[in-house]
Amino acid sequence: MVRRLPGRRPGGGRRGHLSRAFLIVTLTLLSLLLTACGSAPQSTLIRSGEAADRIWDVYGLIWIGAAVVFVLVEGLLVYTIIRFRRAPRTAHGRPVPVHGNTKLEIIWTVIPAIVLVFIAIPTLQIIADLAEVPTDQGDPLKVDVIGHQFFFEFSYPDLGIKTTNTMHIPTGTMVDVSLQSNDVIHSFWVPQLAGKTDLIPGRTNRMWLEAAEAGTYHGQCAEFCGLGHALMRFQVEAQTPADFDAWVNEQQNPTAGGGQGQQLAQTLGCTGCHSIDGSASVGPTWQGLYGHEVTLNDGSTVTADDAYIHESIVNPNAKVVQGFQALMPSFEGRVTDADIQAIIDYIKTLSE
């Protein structure tokens, strides 16, 4: 008859614990490696502007401070384990309790305070610097950003242009960004160009950014703002000065495409919730909508004609398309019948 020691299981013991620990560490490192292999379009490590470079400088200082603390703490831990591995014990075999050491307590209070000061000074300085647009690089481009549930509105006061979810800027130019919210707290974040700044109702916050190279930079709302928060994504299109001037001219003098209806849809923020290319968004896409039957949340169907679209603009929550929520505000009193008809005509062009 084989007797088994209490608390022992076949395959257990120290070797089993080490095997499990090794497996956990291996899987953790592998997952981190696979995560790091992505293109990371919103990584702060990929910097493309002066504001992002300044933030990275602060990150560098913090990493140095963290590394010093890590080495000191882990070094003291290893030293303590080795030095006091045979500490005096009581008659019951337990280690003798230590009730305090004033000198050590002062040291481990003062050192963290010094580290925090080391981190706080450059952090507060960069926050102040990023709130004031540099004046030594010519006149900045002014852009007013208004956060809505659930889209961003970009207004160019000096150019008379408004867009939704896409900000166009020229490369090599400082952009003076004014941030406001139309409803709740949002947060404006373009990791490759600048840090996060909140949009707070009743308050105007300021920041600036600058793109060194032409390209598309992805941003998003970094503050939970409601059910549609995950869809509050936007883009910053950095263009060469010549391409930006051409875009401005096109916006100021629309001659093709949707004409007035398209411009109204952008100005009113419609395209912030309704895509025009069939992609998923907060509301149903406008591509292929007109003239087709849509199923509503109550199970009934309706044809997306002039009457239905008109009603959806002035009383949007009366007939909500299946799979979507009643989030759209009413535009009654904000647009004229002529404006609504222009938008409908634009939607028709997306279904031809």
Side-chain angles (χ1 to χ4, degrees):
M1 179 175 179
V2 179
R3 299 184 61 185
R4 187 179 300 163
L5 292 176
R8 289 281 187 175
R9 291 179 300 177
R14 184 178 179 184
R15 179 173 297 179
H17 289 302
L18 290 176
S19 298
R20 285 193 293 271
F22 178 77
L23 178 62
I24 292 173
V25 171
T26 302
L27 291 176
T28 301
L29 293 176
L30 182 61
S31 64
L32 291 174
L33 178 63
L34 293 175
T35 303
C37 289
S39 58
Q42 288 186 292
S43 172
T44 56
L45 304 180
I46 306 173
R47 309 178 309 281
S48 300
E50 183 177 344
D53 287 339
R54 294 192 186 186
I55 293 173
W56 177 252
D57 292 339
V58 177
Y59 282 170
L61 291 175
I62 294 176
W63 274 106
I64 292 173
V68 171
V69 171
F70 175 81
V71 171
L72 288 176
V73 172
E74 297 304 317
L76 287 173
L77 178 62
V78 172
Y79 169 78
T80 303
I81 293 174
I82 297 175
R83 174 68 176 80
F84 300 102
R85 66 187 183 279
R86 295 189 180 89
R89 296 178 178 271
T90 64
H92 300 287
R94 299 174 181 174
V96 176
V98 177
H99 297 285
N101 187 311
T102 303
K103 184 182 296 185
L104 285 177
E105 291 173 2
I106 292 175
I107 290 174
W108 67 50
T109 300
V110 171
I111 291 179
I114 294 175
V115 173
L116 290 177
V117 171
F118 174 81
I119 294 173
I121 291 177
T123 300
L124 294 174
Q125 184 178 1
I126 192 63
I127 290 174
D129 289 345
L130 294 179
E132 296 293 332
V133 182
T135 57
D136 58 346
Q137 300 189 31
D139 295 332
L141 172 68
K142 294 183 179 181
V143 180
D144 296 336
V145 180
I146 302 177
H148 301 266
Q149 292 177 307
F150 296 96
F151 67 94
F152 283 99
E153 174 187 338
F154 300 103
S155 175
Y156 300 76
D158 295 337
L159 303 175
I161 296 173
K162 288 185 179 180
T163 64
T164 56
N165 286 345
T166 302
M167 175 196 284
H168 290 256
I169 62 173
T171 57
T173 301
M174 287 294 168
V175 182
D176 182 1
V177 182
S178 171
L179 301 166
Q180 298 175 322
S181 173
N182 192 48
D183 34 56
V184 300
I185 296 178
H186 301 280
S187 186
F188 184 83
W189 187 37
V190 193
Q192 293 179 242
L193 298 180
K196 302 175 185 176
T197 304
D198 285 347
L199 295 79
I200 302 174
R203 177 188 177 99
T204 300
N205 286 338
R206 303 286 294 278
M207 65 175 290
W208 61 269
L209 53 83
E210 173 259 343
E213 299 178 357
T216 300
Y217 301 95
H218 299 274
Q220 68 182 59
C221 174
E223 183 78 26
F224 181 73
C225 55
L227 296 176
H229 165 72
L231 296 172
M232 281 199 69
R233 299 183 293 268
F234 64 93
Q235 295 178 340
V236 176
E237 294 287 348
Q239 303 168 291
T240 63
D243 289 341
F244 178 77
D245 290 341
W247 174 80
V248 170
N249 182 65
E250 179 184 352
Q251 295 297 308
Q252 292 176 338
N253 304 283
T255 56
Q260 182 187 6
Q262 182 179 15
Q263 195 169 40
L264 281 168
Q266 293 175 341
T267 301
L268 296 172
C270 304
T271 52
C273 295
H274 300 278
S275 71
I276 61 174
D277 58 1
S279 59
S281 190
V282 179
T285 182
W286 283 358
Q287 186 184 59
L289 173 65
Y290 189 86
H292 291 78
E293 280 194 349
V294 293
T295 303
L296 306 180
N297 274 334
D298 61 4
S300 62
T301 59
V302 64
T303 300
D305 53 13
D306 288 38
Y308 168 74
I309 297 176
H310 188 285
E311 181 184 15
S312 296
I313 293 175
V314 298
N315 189 14
N317 299 325
K319 298 177 181 178
V320 181
V321 176
Q322 191 175 65
F324 296 93
Q325 296 177 331
L327 300 172
M328 178 175 166
S330 172
F331 284 85
E332 186 173 12
R334 297 173 57 185
V335 291
T336 65
D337 288 342
D339 291 337
I340 294 177
Q341 189 57 52
I343 294 174
I344 294 173
D345 291 340
Y346 172 51
I347 295 176
K348 289 180 182 179
T349 67
L350 301 174
S351 301
E352 295 176 351

